[in-house]
Amino acid sequence: MKRAVATLFLFCSVICYGQQTSIKYELNGRTSNQKLAVEKPYNSINPFIKYIGEWGLKNEDWTQNWGGETETIKIPGHHTVSSQINTVNSLLSIVDGPEPNGHIFWSYNPNTKEVFHSSSFGTIRSGQGQGTVNENGDLRLKVSFEGEPEGTYRIYTYTWISSDEYALKSIQFDATNKPTGLFYEGNFVRIKSKTNDDIRQEILDHGAEIRKAFADGNIEKIKQLHHPKVEKALGFNDIQKGRETVIKSIEGTLENYHLEFIQNNVESILIEGNMAIEQTRFSIKGTSKKGGDPFIFSGRTMVTYIRDAKSPTGWVTIREIIQPESN
C-alpha cells in the first residue's frame, strides 16, 4: 500500500514556469556563460545589439502562404534566444519549440557594411545569403534555400516596431525576380526576465494544479507533466524508469484509491537556468474505493524539473527520489 502511494506522490511535486537562458561555449580554453540581457550589452557598436535577448511569437500568430490560400495559424511555444558570440560583429540565434528547430548566424563586415546570413533548420533547410543593416537595426537580406526551386530566393526584412518588438517577413521570388506569392510573416516580442521570486511563486501555483490532477484522477494531465525518460526512486531497491512504466503504476493506484494531500510543506526550491529542484515534506491520505479504513503516508521528496515547451506548465519532472517517514 505504501509503495503505491509513494508512486503516486512522485508525480505530484511542484515545478516552475520561468526561464533563465544562456548560450555556453568554449573560448580559448575557458568557459563563457553569456546571460542574455540587452540592458548590459557586450559592446554597444554591435549592429545587431537590439536583437540580443529572448524572444517569443506575438500572440502565437503566424501568417503564411506555401501555395494556395493565405492563412494565419497559431504556433505555441515558439522561442528564440539571440546572443553576440566572441566578436562585436556577430549574432547567433537558437530557435526552438515546434519542429523544425534550428539556428541563424549573422556576421557583419564593417568595411563593406554587409551582413552575411547562414541558417539551418530541420534536416534539409539550409540557407545562405547576405544583405544590409541600417542604424536602427532593421535588416534586409537576400537568402537562397536548399529544397526550394532552383533560381528562387527570399527577401527577408526585419523591421523594429519598438525596442521590444520587431516584424519579420519573408517573400519568395523566382529566377526572373518576380514574387511567387509564397511568403510568411510574424511579429516577435521580447520575453522579460523573471526574478527568482516570480519563478518560486509559479512553482507553488503549479503544485496546486498537479495535486488537483491526482485528486481528479486525471492521468492524461499527469502524463503531460513528466518527461519520457523520467526516473523515479520509490525505495533503495525500487526504481522506475520511463514515463510509460511510471504512468502504468499510477493508473493502477488511482483505480483503487482516492488520494488527498493533507500536508505539503515546501522546504526549499533551487532554480538554475532551465532546471529547478524542489524538496518537500508531504502527507497523503489514501481512501480505498472498495471500502475500508483510510491510511496516511508521509515522507520527503526531492524532484528535479526541466523546461519543456510541450508541457502545459512549461516544465516536466525528469528525476524524483522519495524518502518515507520513519518513526
Side-chain angles (χ1 to χ4, degrees):
M1 182 179 295
K2 288 187 176 181
R3 182 184 184 279
V5 178
T7 302
L8 289 176
F9 176 74
L10 291 175
F11 302 88
C12 300
S13 303
V14 189
I15 95 181
C16 65
Y17 181 73
Q19 183 181 8
Q20 298 173 342
T21 307
S22 63
I23 294 178
K24 297 181 179 179
Y25 61 93
E26 294 298 320
L27 177 62
N28 295 329
R30 73 179 189 277
T31 299
S32 174
N33 184 5
Q34 297 187 344
K35 291 187 177 179
L36 307 177
V38 75
E39 291 80 10
K40 297 180 180 179
Y42 310 119
N43 191 307
S44 60
I45 67 171
N46 188 323
F48 312 122
I49 186 65
K50 292 172 72 173
Y51 296 91
I52 293 175
E54 191 174 356
W55 302 89
L57 190 58
K58 186 176 183 179
N59 299 323
E60 300 181 343
D61 289 337
W62 186 253
T63 302
Q64 61 185 17
N65 188 318
W66 288 93
E69 296 184 357
T70 296
E71 60 179 352
T72 297
I73 62 174
K74 295 287 185 181
I75 304 181
H78 194 286
H79 177 250
T80 300
V81 177
S82 299
S83 176
Q84 174 179 304
I85 307 183
N86 58 348
T87 76
V88 297
N89 299 314
S90 64
L91 190 82
L92 177 64
S93 296
I94 307 297
V95 183
D96 63 22
E99 296 288 350
N101 295 326
H103 66 267
I104 301 169
F105 177 69
W106 293 339
S107 62
Y108 177 70
N109 186 327
N111 295 319
T112 64
K113 311 300 183 184
E114 292 176 290
V115 175
F116 295 90
H117 168 108
S118 179
S119 61
S120 179
F121 284 81
T123 58
I124 61 171
R125 189 169 174 78
S126 175
Q128 301 290 328
Q130 62 190 81
T132 58
V133 58
N134 64 21
E135 292 183 356
N136 188 49
D138 301 329
L139 275 89
R140 187 180 190 275
L141 302 168
K142 181 180 180 180
V143 182
S144 298
F145 286 95
E146 292 288 336
E148 295 198 349
E150 185 176 355
T152 64
Y153 61 91
R154 288 180 176 269
I155 296 297
Y156 280 78
T157 55
Y158 292 76
T159 306
W160 285 96
I161 307 300
S162 70
S163 60
D164 293 321
E165 179 180 352
Y166 66 85
L168 162 66
K169 188 167 188 176
S170 168
I171 302 175
Q172 187 189 63
F173 292 80
D174 64 20
T176 64
N177 300 318
K178 295 181 180 179
T180 65
L182 305 188
F183 78 97
Y184 49 79
E185 64 182 345
N187 284 23
F188 291 82
V189 290
R190 192 182 303 279
I191 298 174
K192 301 294 186 179
S193 298
K194 296 182 179 180
T195 67
N196 276 6
D197 287 342
D198 294 333
I199 298 172
R200 178 181 171 82
Q201 186 57 52
E202 289 175 342
I203 292 173
L204 299 176
D205 292 342
H206 174 79
E209 180 177 345
I210 195 169
R211 289 191 294 275
K212 184 177 186 300
F214 271 83
D216 294 342
N218 190 339
I219 293 294
E220 183 58 32
K221 173 62 73 66
I222 295 169
K223 183 176 181 179
Q224 292 172 355
L225 296 173
H226 289 81
H227 192 275
K229 295 183 179 180
V230 63
E231 293 187 14
K232 302 283 186 173
L234 304 181
F236 186 78
N237 295 313
D238 188 0
I239 297 178
Q240 296 181 352
K241 295 185 177 183
R243 184 167 60 190
E244 295 306 317
T245 299
V246 168
I247 294 300
K248 185 177 180 180
S249 177
I250 289 180
E251 285 179 324
T253 305
L254 290 181
E255 285 176 1
N256 296 291
Y257 295 95
H258 176 267
L259 299 181
E260 178 187 359
F261 284 81
I262 58 176
Q263 179 189 22
N264 191 76
N265 295 335
V266 177
E267 296 179 322
S268 67
I269 298 173
L270 173 66
I271 300 164
E272 184 62 34
N274 292 331
M275 181 177 69
I277 300 174
E278 177 205 341
Q279 180 174 301
T280 296
R281 291 191 64 176
F282 67 91
S283 291
I284 300 175
K285 180 181 179 180
T287 304
S288 174
K289 294 181 179 180
K290 298 177 182 179
D293 295 333
F295 62 89
I296 304 294
F297 177 77
S298 300
R300 178 179 281 111
T301 182
M302 179 174 285
V303 193
T304 301
Y305 308 100
I306 59 172
R307 183 179 178 274
D308 190 329
K310 297 177 182 178
S311 165
T313 63
W315 293 79
V316 291
T317 298
I318 193 165
R319 294 290 186 273
E320 185 166 7
I321 297 175
I322 287 285
Q323 180 186 46
E325 185 179 61
S326 58
N327 296 325

